[in-house]
């Protein structure tokens, strides 16, 4: 029996394999699967998915973090900084350059000087494929610990799959697999991952992507051979197509205390490392409270997972949004759920909530988040709001939102004319009124956009991805 290691260190990765039929399709082919997951979720996923040929092991995130802290931590951190800031100039580098700028801004004293001294190295890596290969080889030679020897020896895997390409803590396990001569693969779980994560943290053999756009980014930007990139779509979104997660409208509105006689404007917050969201939410709340929209409306806010991180300015914005919702009867917030450890949060894996919100809202307002793609898959109008924050984050890195329309994923939305981009409150009100009165606007452009971004729109992605991963066991 063939054995596959699958490394899942992200909520979306868990959903990708455990909330779809993908794992069952692999098991039906007669393979054994060893999932490596974070300690915090190990017990929960063990209890929720039981099968004779499925084993759950810790991905040893505590040991990995300890290794990062004790084995030349400063050098490792610099290597990771350079890796994240590097990709070929053939693709847009806005994401990776923002990472570089943020790290330089946050550094203090001599460390900021060191990061600036690394700019020439980043310049070379962005322009030289041999230099990028040498960089990855050096990274593997210096930082491939023996953290997983017992697991490799015990299970003897034939294939190692990760939900990133060594962009996170999976990099060490992937390098150990490469050292042992075991085939490796990754699946793209995030829409912007190919253009935002920089160079792979390990020499992964193959990658499953969503679209031809991803294929171009992976080959032109981070040196994958075209024959090693498979366009399999996004298996998770097969669930959107089948509508298996959608609650009835009456039930969903009752769950969030929504008025069934009012239009629903949904707002999906953006990553807080870019900009605050509060100023946009306040503009939307004022429009609704002052009845400035063409139809009686209400606002449902989906916070960003970062709102629940233990960072004071993120938590402060979250608290202000919740206070605003308490003051305004037509403003509501998707309440977080309690997860192991006593924390409150939600993340990309809560698909029943997201699917129901997208199915029942009338317009989605966001800042070019991945939910742009998910909303268009549901046929909903989208507005990307790039109103600059008047203050930003005090003493923290942020960027004016007017810069975001030029970013890779945002530029594709604009080029496809799949929605409206607004830069002022007046433009936002006009766009909302147009969509509330005429939701069919740009419907054809939205269909073309989502086809370009997802490739498969009829539920085929799970099977195509399973076939691809299984084919690696036959080679």
């Amino acid at each position: 029996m063939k054995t596959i290691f699958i490394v899942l260190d992200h909520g979306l990765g868990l959903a990708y394999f455990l909330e779809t039929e993908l794992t069952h399709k692999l098991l039906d082919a007669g393979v054994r699967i060893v999932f490596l997951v974070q300690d915090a979720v190990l017990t929960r996923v063990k209890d929720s998915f039981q099968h004779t040929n499925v084993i759950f092991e810790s991905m040893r995130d505590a040991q990995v973090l300890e290794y990062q802290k004790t084995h030349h931590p400063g050098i490792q951190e610099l290597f990771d900084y350079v890796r994240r800031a590097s990709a070929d100039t053939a693709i847009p580098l806005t994401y990776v350059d923002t990472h570089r700028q943020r790290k330089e801004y946050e550094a203090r004293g001599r460390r900021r000087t060191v990061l600036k001294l690394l700019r020439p190295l980043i310049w070379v890596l962005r322009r030289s494929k041999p230099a990028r290969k040498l960089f990855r080889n050096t990274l593997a030679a210096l930082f491939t610990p023996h953290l997983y020897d017992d697991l490799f020896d015990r299970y003897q895997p034939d294939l190692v799959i990760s939900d990133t390409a060594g962009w996170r803590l999976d990099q060490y396990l992937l390098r150990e697999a490469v050292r042992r001569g075991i085939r490796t693969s990754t699946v793209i779980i995030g829409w912007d991952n190919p253009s935002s994560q920089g160079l792979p943290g390990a020499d992964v053999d193959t990658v499953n992507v969503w679209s031809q756009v991803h294929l171009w980014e992976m080959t032109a930007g981070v040196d994958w051979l075209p024959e090693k990139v498979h366009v399999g779509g996004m298996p998770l979104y097969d669930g959107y197509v089948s509508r298996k997660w959608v609650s009835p409208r009456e039930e969903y509105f009752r769950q969030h205390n929504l008025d069934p006689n009012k239009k629903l404007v949904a707002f999906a917050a953006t990553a807080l490392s870019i900009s605050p969201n509060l100023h946009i939410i306040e503009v939307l709340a004022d429009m609704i409270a002052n009845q400035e929209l063409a139809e009686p409306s209400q606002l449902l806010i989906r916070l960003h997972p970062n709102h629940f991180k233990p960072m004071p300015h993120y938590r402060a914005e979250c608290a202000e949004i919740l206070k605003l919702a308490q003051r305004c009867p037509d403003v509501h917030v998707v309440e977080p759920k309690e997860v192991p450890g006593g924390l409150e949060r939600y993340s990309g894996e809560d698909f029943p909530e997201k699917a129901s919100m997208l199915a029942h809202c009338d317009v989605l307002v966001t800042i070019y988040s991945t939910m742009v793609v998910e909303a268009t898959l549901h046929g909903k109008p989208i507005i990307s709001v790039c109103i600059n924050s008047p203050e930003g984050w005090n003493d923290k890195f942020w960027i004016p939102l007017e810069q975001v329309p030029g970013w890779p994923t945002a530029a594709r939305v604009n080029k496809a004319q799949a929605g409206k981009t607004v830069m002022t409150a007046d433009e936002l009100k006009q766009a909302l009124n147009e969509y509330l009165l005429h939701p069919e606007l740009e419907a054809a452009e939205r269909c073309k956009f989502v086809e370009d971004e997802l490739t498969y729109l009829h539920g085929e992605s799970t099977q195509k991805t399973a076939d691809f991963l299984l084919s690696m066991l036959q080679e």
Side-chain angles (χ1 to χ4, degrees), residues 53-318:
N53 290 327
V54 171
I55 301 166
F56 288 94
E57 294 278 2
S58 168
M59 68 169 292
R60 302 182 177 177
D61 37 310
Q63 292 94 316
V64 171
L65 291 173
E66 182 66 19
Y67 174 79
Q68 287 183 330
K69 292 177 182 178
T70 59
H71 189 76
H72 305 294
I75 297 176
Q76 282 204 70
E77 192 173 344
L78 291 177
F79 263 97
D80 198 60
Y81 161 73
V82 171
R83 181 193 63 75
R84 283 287 310 275
S86 301
D88 196 285
T89 55
I91 67 171
L93 298 181
T94 318
Y95 284 130
V96 298
D97 209 48
T98 300
H99 168 77
R100 178 190 62 78
Q101 294 170 21
R102 178 166 54 247
K103 287 295 186 180
E104 286 188 2
Y105 178 91
E106 293 173 349
R108 295 292 181 267
R110 288 186 300 174
R111 183 162 189 81
R112 179 177 291 181
T113 301
V114 171
L115 295 188
K116 290 182 177 180
L117 289 173
L118 289 171
R119 287 180 184 178
L121 174 59
I122 294 170
W123 187 92
V124 171
L125 291 173
R126 291 181 177 187
R127 289 160 177 83
S128 171
K129 185 174 180 179
R132 292 192 291 272
K133 178 65 174 175
L134 177 61
F135 177 84
R136 291 197 303 273
N137 289 344
T138 303
L139 189 61
L142 293 177
F143 304 111
T144 304
H146 293 266
L147 297 176
Y148 302 94
D149 282 347
D150 58 319
L151 294 181
F152 281 112
D153 293 340
R154 185 186 316 158
Y155 295 112
Q156 297 291 312
D158 301 279
L159 173 65
V160 176
I161 303 168
S162 181
D163 58 6
T164 87
W167 294 320
R168 292 163 62 93
L169 298 184
D170 61 321
Q171 59 186 282
Y172 302 100
L173 185 139
L174 287 170
R175 288 181 207 144
E176 288 195 36
V178 171
R179 181 174 59 192
R180 288 171 173 259
I182 301 168
R183 301 208 72 192
T184 55
S185 186
T186 189
V187 292
I188 297 301
I189 62 172
W191 182 37
D192 63 359
N193 283 173
S195 57
S196 67
Q197 299 299 314
L199 300 177
D203 279 329
V204 183
D205 292 318
T206 65
V207 56
N208 187 76
V209 299
W210 299 11
S211 64
Q212 291 293 327
V213 179
H214 276 181
L215 185 151
W216 170 71
E217 289 177 325
M218 299 302 280
T219 55
V222 291
D223 306 329
W224 248 288
L225 296 173
E227 61 269 24
K228 300 295 185 181
V229 183
H230 175 258
V231 178
M234 176 50 158
L236 260 174
Y237 293 174
D238 287 353
Y240 283 151
V241 173
S242 69
R243 297 179 71 85
K244 71 175 185 177
W245 293 307
V246 177
S247 302
R249 184 177 187 271
E250 296 78 9
E251 177 183 328
Y252 185 73
F253 273 50
R254 185 167 56 251
Q255 175 187 345
H256 293 295
N257 297 314
L258 300 171
D259 186 339
N261 298 312
K262 292 182 177 180
K263 298 288 187 179
L264 179 58
V265 177
F267 176 79
T270 192
L272 300 173
S273 56
I274 298 173
S275 168
N277 292 263
L278 180 61
H279 65 292
I280 297 173
I281 293 171
E282 290 174 335
V283 168
L284 288 167
D286 287 344
M287 287 180 189
I288 290 173
N290 297 329
Q291 299 182 349
E292 297 177 20
L293 300 182
E295 298 278 357
S297 301
Q298 57 201 324
L299 177 65
L300 180 62
I301 301 163
R302 178 179 173 82
L303 301 171
H304 193 275
N306 285 352
H307 275 118
F308 307 106
K309 289 186 175 181
M311 302 180 73
H313 57 305
Y314 292 176
R315 288 287 189 170
E317 177 170 282
C318 180

Side-chain angles (χ1 to χ4, degrees), residues 16 188-191 208-214 230-241 370-379 412 446-462 464-465:
Y16 190 99
I188 297 301
I189 62 172
W191 182 37
N208 187 76
V209 299
W210 299 11
S211 64
Q212 291 293 327
V213 179
H214 276 181
H230 175 258
V231 178
M234 176 50 158
L236 260 174
Y237 293 174
D238 287 353
Y240 283 151
V241 173
T370 304
M371 291 190 72
V372 165
V373 180
E374 296 167 281
T376 53
L377 191 57
H378 285 79
R412 300 205 297 268
R446 290 197 297 270
C447 288
K448 179 62 168 60
F449 166 73
V450 77
E451 181 179 357
D452 289 344
E453 295 297 333
L454 295 179
T455 308
Y456 302 109
L457 305 181
H458 304 288
E460 317 99 310
S461 295
T462 303
K464 289 185 177 295
T465 299

Side-chain angles (χ1 to χ4, degrees), residues 375-376 379-382 416-419 435 439-451:
T376 53
K380 296 305 169 79
I382 52 173
Q417 299 182 331
Y435 279 144
E440 74 282 359
L441 292 173
E442 290 101 31
E445 289 82 359
R446 290 197 297 270
C447 288
K448 179 62 168 60
F449 166 73
V450 77
E451 181 179 357

